[in-house]
Amino acid sequence: VQLQASGGGLVQAGGSLRLSCTASGRILSSTAINWFRQAPGKEREFVAGIRWGYGTTIYADSVKGRFTISRDKGDKTAYLQMNSLKPEDTAVYYCAAGEVATLSQRYWGLGTQVTVSS
C-alpha cells in the first residue's frame, strides 16, 4: 500500500483545511487509516484514525470537536477536515495505515505541511 497525503497549506487561526490521503493497493477492512502530526522539536503524535471497514473513528483529545476524519472506500481516500484551526495545530501531517492510533504503522505516506498563523 502506498499513501499520498495532500491538502496542506497556510491558513489563519480559526480557518479550515481538508487533508486527503489517497491509497494505492488493497486496503483490508481491518486496517485503520490514521493521521499523525509532528511539529518542530516535538515528537510525532496521533491525531485521528478511522477503521476502513466499519468507519469507526477515534480522535486525540486536542482535536476532538474540531477535526473530522472520514473515508471514501470507492476512491480509497481518507479525509481529515480541520476546522477552528489554532497556531498549535501547525505541523507536518502524515497519513499512515495499520493499527488504530499507534505509532507502529505498517505504511506511511509523505507528510503535508499545515501552517496556522495567529
Side-chain angles (χ1 to χ4, degrees):
V1 176
Q2 291 185 324
L3 303 171
Q4 178 66 51
S6 61
L10 173 64
V11 64
Q12 288 188 332
S16 299
L17 281 175
R18 188 176 80 156
L19 305 183
S20 300
C21 176
T22 301
S24 61
R26 185 183 178 191
I27 305 175
L28 299 178
S29 294
S30 58
T31 297
I33 300 296
N34 301 279
W35 287 97
F36 294 82
R37 66 186 181 187
Q38 188 165 18
K42 295 188 176 181
E43 295 185 352
R44 190 169 298 189
E45 64 176 1
F46 170 76
V47 176
I50 185 166
R51 293 197 182 277
W52 195 252
Y54 289 106
T56 52
T57 59
I58 184 171
Y59 297 91
D61 288 343
S62 59
V63 306
K64 279 182 183 176
R66 300 188 299 122
F67 291 10
T68 302
I69 189 170
S70 61
R71 56 69 170 121
D72 183 324
K73 297 173 79 174
D75 288 343
K76 290 198 285 188
T77 299
Y79 301 97
L80 185 68
Q81 178 66 44
M82 306 185 295
N83 298 328
S84 301
L85 282 161
K86 304 174 181 180
E88 51 263 44
D89 294 317
T90 295
V92 177
Y93 284 70
Y94 300 88
C95 64
E99 295 297 321
V100 67
T102 172
L103 282 170
S104 299
Q105 296 293 304
R106 186 166 185 180
Y107 303 101
W108 288 90
L110 297 178
T112 184
Q113 176 72 46
V114 171
T115 303
V116 184
S117 63
S118 58

